Amino acid sequence: VAVIDTGFDSEHPDFAGREITTSTFVPDENSMDLHGHGTHCTGIACGAVDIEGVRYGVAPGTHIYAGKVLSNEGSGAQAWVLDGMTWAANSGCRVLSMSFGSVVFAGQSYDIAYERAAQYARSKGTVIVAAAGNESKRPKEIYYPVNSPADCPSILAVDALYSSLKVADFSNRAINTNGLVDVAAPGVSVYSSWVMPVRNRFVSGTS
Protein backbone atom coordinates (compact mmCIF):
# COMPACT_ATOMS: atom_id res chain seq x y z
CA VAL A 1 0.00 0.00 0.00
CA ALA A 2 1.33 3.43 -0.95
CA VAL A 3 0.35 6.60 0.86
CA ILE A 4 1.63 9.79 -0.73
CA ASP A 5 1.21 12.75 1.58
CA THR A 6 3.40 14.76 4.01
CA GLY A 7 5.70 11.77 4.48
CA PHE A 8 5.74 9.28 7.34
CA ASP A 9 7.34 9.00 10.78
CA SER A 10 9.18 5.81 9.88
CA GLU A 11 10.61 5.59 13.42
CA HIS A 12 7.13 5.52 14.98
CA PRO A 13 7.10 2.75 17.60
CA ASP A 14 3.66 1.47 16.53
CA PHE A 15 5.27 0.38 13.25
CA ALA A 16 8.41 -1.28 14.62
CA GLY A 17 9.37 -4.30 12.52
CA ARG A 18 7.15 -3.37 9.59
CA GLU A 19 8.32 -3.31 5.98
CA ILE A 20 8.53 0.39 5.14
CA THR A 21 9.85 1.96 1.95
CA THR A 22 10.06 5.75 1.85
CA SER A 23 10.81 8.31 -0.81
CA THR A 24 10.55 12.07 -1.09
CA PHE A 25 9.56 14.19 -4.07
CA VAL A 26 9.72 17.49 -2.19
CA PRO A 27 12.91 19.41 -2.96
CA ASP A 28 15.24 19.90 0.01
CA GLU A 29 13.09 17.83 2.40
CA ASN A 30 13.59 14.20 3.40
CA SER A 31 10.75 11.70 3.75
CA MET A 32 10.27 12.26 7.50
CA ASP A 33 6.82 13.62 8.34
CA LEU A 34 7.08 16.82 10.40
CA HIS A 35 3.44 17.73 9.76
CA GLY A 36 1.48 14.71 11.02
CA HIS A 37 -1.16 14.25 8.34
CA GLY A 38 0.78 11.66 6.36
CA THR A 39 1.52 9.57 9.44
CA HIS A 40 -2.15 9.67 10.47
CA CYS A 41 -3.36 8.59 7.01
CA THR A 42 -0.75 5.84 6.83
CA GLY A 43 -1.95 4.51 10.16
CA ILE A 44 -5.56 4.46 8.96
CA ALA A 45 -4.62 2.56 5.81
CA CYS A 46 -1.94 0.22 7.13
CA GLY A 47 -2.95 -0.38 10.71
CA ALA A 48 -1.02 -0.90 13.90
CA VAL A 49 -1.42 -1.38 17.64
CA ASP A 50 -0.81 1.48 20.07
CA ILE A 51 1.11 1.38 23.34
CA GLU A 52 -2.05 0.23 25.17
CA GLY A 53 -2.65 -2.59 22.71
CA VAL A 54 -5.53 -0.78 21.02
CA ARG A 55 -5.90 -1.91 17.41
CA TYR A 56 -6.44 0.69 14.69
CA GLY A 57 -6.17 0.83 10.92
CA VAL A 58 -7.25 -1.47 8.11
CA ALA A 59 -4.37 -3.55 6.77
CA PRO A 60 -1.71 -4.36 9.41
CA GLY A 61 0.17 -6.87 7.25
CA THR A 62 0.99 -4.57 4.36
CA HIS A 63 4.35 -3.40 3.08
CA ILE A 64 4.11 0.38 3.50
CA TYR A 65 5.29 2.70 0.74
CA ALA A 66 5.31 6.26 2.08
CA GLY A 67 5.95 8.97 -0.48
CA LYS A 68 6.39 12.60 0.50
CA VAL A 69 4.64 14.83 -2.04
CA LEU A 70 3.55 17.57 0.37
CA SER A 71 5.96 19.75 2.33
CA ASN A 72 6.25 19.95 6.10
CA GLU A 73 3.83 22.89 5.86
CA GLY A 74 1.30 20.67 4.07
CA SER A 75 1.50 22.24 0.61
CA GLY A 76 2.75 20.75 -2.62
CA ALA A 77 3.20 21.05 -6.38
CA GLN A 78 1.37 18.98 -8.95
CA ALA A 79 4.68 17.74 -10.37
CA TRP A 80 5.59 16.24 -6.98
CA VAL A 81 2.27 14.42 -6.81
CA LEU A 82 2.57 13.08 -10.35
CA ASP A 83 6.06 11.80 -9.55
CA GLY A 84 4.74 10.13 -6.42
CA MET A 85 1.88 8.47 -8.31
CA THR A 86 4.31 7.07 -10.89
CA TRP A 87 6.69 5.87 -8.17
CA ALA A 88 3.89 3.98 -6.41
CA ALA A 89 2.72 2.35 -9.64
CA ASN A 90 6.23 1.37 -10.73
CA SER A 91 6.91 -0.04 -7.25
CA GLY A 92 4.10 -2.55 -7.71
CA CYS A 93 1.79 -1.08 -5.07
CA ARG A 94 -1.70 -2.56 -5.28
CA VAL A 95 -3.33 0.43 -3.57
CA LEU A 96 -2.38 4.11 -3.69
CA SER A 97 -4.00 6.49 -1.21
CA MET A 98 -3.96 10.27 -1.77
CA SER A 99 -5.54 12.27 1.05
CA PHE A 100 -5.24 15.78 -0.37
CA GLY A 101 -6.83 17.89 -3.05
CA SER A 102 -7.68 21.28 -4.42
CA VAL A 103 -11.10 22.90 -4.60
CA VAL A 104 -13.14 22.35 -7.76
CA PHE A 105 -16.07 24.53 -8.79
CA ALA A 106 -19.38 23.57 -10.36
CA GLY A 107 -18.94 22.84 -14.05
CA GLN A 108 -15.17 22.49 -13.83
CA SER A 109 -13.67 19.41 -15.49
CA TYR A 110 -11.08 17.08 -14.01
CA ASP A 111 -7.35 17.66 -14.46
CA ILE A 112 -6.07 15.70 -17.45
CA ALA A 113 -2.55 15.38 -16.00
CA TYR A 114 -3.87 13.58 -12.91
CA GLU A 115 -6.14 11.41 -15.06
CA ARG A 116 -3.25 10.33 -17.29
CA ALA A 117 -1.15 9.44 -14.25
CA ALA A 118 -4.08 7.50 -12.80
CA GLN A 119 -4.61 5.61 -16.06
CA TYR A 120 -0.93 4.68 -16.05
CA ALA A 121 -1.19 3.43 -12.47
CA ARG A 122 -4.26 1.38 -13.35
CA SER A 123 -2.36 -0.18 -16.25
CA LYS A 124 0.17 -1.36 -13.63
CA GLY A 125 -2.59 -2.86 -11.48
CA THR A 126 -2.76 -0.06 -8.91
CA VAL A 127 -6.10 1.09 -7.50
CA ILE A 128 -6.10 4.76 -6.52
CA VAL A 129 -8.28 6.31 -3.82
CA ALA A 130 -8.40 10.01 -2.95
CA ALA A 131 -10.17 12.29 -0.49
CA ALA A 132 -13.38 13.87 -1.79
CA GLY A 133 -12.73 17.04 0.23
CA ASN A 134 -13.96 18.79 3.35
CA GLU A 135 -15.29 22.15 2.15
CA SER A 136 -19.05 21.51 2.33
CA LYS A 137 -21.36 22.72 5.11
CA ARG A 138 -24.29 20.38 4.66
CA PRO A 139 -26.48 21.72 7.52
CA LYS A 140 -26.38 25.12 5.78
CA GLU A 141 -26.98 23.46 2.37
CA ILE A 142 -23.57 24.57 1.15
CA TYR A 143 -22.13 21.87 -1.10
CA TYR A 144 -18.80 21.69 -2.89
CA PRO A 145 -17.95 19.31 -5.74
CA VAL A 146 -15.48 16.48 -5.23
CA ASN A 147 -11.93 17.84 -5.06
CA SER A 148 -9.17 17.34 -7.63
CA PRO A 149 -7.64 14.76 -8.14
CA ALA A 150 -10.45 12.64 -6.61
CA ASP A 151 -12.79 13.87 -9.36
CA CYS A 152 -10.83 11.99 -12.06
CA PRO A 153 -12.69 9.06 -13.65
CA SER A 154 -9.80 6.67 -12.90
CA ILE A 155 -9.59 7.59 -9.20
CA LEU A 156 -12.00 6.44 -6.47
CA ALA A 157 -13.32 9.40 -4.44
CA VAL A 158 -13.86 8.73 -0.73
CA ASP A 159 -16.38 10.60 1.43
CA ALA A 160 -16.57 10.64 5.24
CA LEU A 161 -19.28 9.18 7.50
CA TYR A 162 -20.24 9.56 11.14
CA SER A 163 -20.32 6.34 13.15
CA SER A 164 -24.11 6.41 12.55
CA LEU A 165 -23.29 6.06 8.79
CA LYS A 166 -24.73 9.53 8.11
CA VAL A 167 -22.60 11.55 5.67
CA ALA A 168 -20.32 13.95 7.54
CA ASP A 169 -21.37 17.60 7.43
CA PHE A 170 -18.11 18.67 5.75
CA SER A 171 -18.03 15.98 3.03
CA ASN A 172 -18.10 17.16 -0.56
CA ARG A 173 -20.57 15.65 -2.99
CA ALA A 174 -21.07 14.61 -6.62
CA ILE A 175 -21.99 17.84 -8.39
CA ASN A 176 -19.92 17.64 -11.56
CA THR A 177 -20.49 14.87 -14.10
CA ASN A 178 -17.13 13.17 -13.56
CA GLY A 179 -16.66 14.03 -9.89
CA LEU A 180 -18.57 11.12 -8.41
CA VAL A 181 -18.32 9.81 -4.86
CA ASP A 182 -17.37 6.14 -5.17
CA VAL A 183 -17.16 5.01 -1.56
CA ALA A 184 -17.75 6.39 1.93
CA ALA A 185 -16.08 5.34 5.16
CA PRO A 186 -15.78 6.45 8.79
CA GLY A 187 -14.16 9.89 8.81
CA VAL A 188 -15.16 11.63 12.04
CA SER A 189 -12.89 11.40 15.09
CA VAL A 190 -10.78 8.62 13.57
CA TYR A 191 -8.03 7.26 15.82
CA SER A 192 -4.65 6.67 14.22
CA SER A 193 -0.92 7.33 14.48
CA TRP A 194 0.64 10.79 14.69
CA VAL A 195 4.22 12.01 14.62
CA MET A 196 6.15 11.47 17.82
CA PRO A 197 6.06 12.40 20.62
CA VAL A 198 2.26 12.75 20.25
CA ARG A 199 2.12 9.15 18.96
CA ASN A 200 -1.68 8.84 18.43
CA ARG A 201 -4.62 11.19 18.05
CA PHE A 202 -8.16 11.60 16.69
CA VAL A 203 -8.71 13.52 13.43
CA SER A 204 -11.73 14.09 11.17
CA GLY A 205 -11.90 14.46 7.38
CA THR A 206 -12.38 12.67 4.09
CA SER A 207 -8.67 11.83 4.28
Side-chain angles (χ1 to χ4, degrees):
V1 173
V3 179
I4 59 173
D5 207 283
T6 59
F8 179 60
D9 184 353
S10 56
E11 299 176 0
H12 196 291
D14 289 3
F15 296 84
R18 294 285 297 275
E19 283 189 288
I20 302 171
T21 299
T22 62
S23 189
T24 183
F25 304 94
V26 179
D28 303 319
E29 290 189 14
N30 61 30
S31 62
M32 179 60 80
D33 182 14
L34 300 183
H35 182 280
H37 190 268
T39 298
H40 196 267
C41 292
T42 302
I44 293 169
C46 299
V49 177
D50 72 7
I51 195 171
E52 303 294 337
V54 174
R55 170 83 167 83
Y56 64 88
V58 177
T62 50
H63 182 157
I64 298 168
Y65 281 77
K68 187 169 190 168
V69 299
L70 302 178
S71 71
N72 293 324
E73 285 70 48
S75 60
Q78 186 185 62
W80 306 347
V81 175
L82 295 173
D83 286 346
M85 293 173 70
T86 302
W87 167 75
N90 287 340
S91 297
C93 297
R94 298 280 67 85
V95 177
L96 166 59
S97 179
M98 307 193 301
S99 292
F100 50 81
S102 55
V103 172
V104 171
F105 299 100
Q108 185 177 339
S109 184
Y110 60 86
D111 189 304
I112 191 63
Y114 283 131
E115 174 61 15
R116 284 175 178 154
Q119 288 180 6
Y120 174 76
R122 288 185 64 185
S123 75
K124 294 285 190 177
T126 304
V127 173
I128 306 177
V129 294
N134 310 325
E135 287 75 29
S136 295
K137 296 177 176 62
R138 289 172 177 260
K140 297 181 179 180
E141 297 187 351
I142 298 173
Y143 304 104
Y144 275 74
V146 171
N147 278 354
S148 175
D151 63 343
C152 290
S154 298
I155 297 176
L156 297 175
V158 183
D159 243 354
L161 303 174
Y162 292 103
S163 58
S164 65
L165 302 186
K166 177 180 177 287
V167 178
D169 292 344
F170 52 78
S171 282
N172 292 348
R173 67 185 299 178
I175 293 175
N176 295 334
T177 304
N178 290 300
L180 304 180
V181 173
D182 299 289
V183 65
V188 180
S189 296
V190 175
Y191 185 72
S192 185
S193 44
W194 197 260
V195 292
M196 296 298 287
V198 176
R199 187 163 182 154
N200 303 96
R201 63 175 292 194
F202 293 88
V203 179
S204 299
T206 55
S207 291

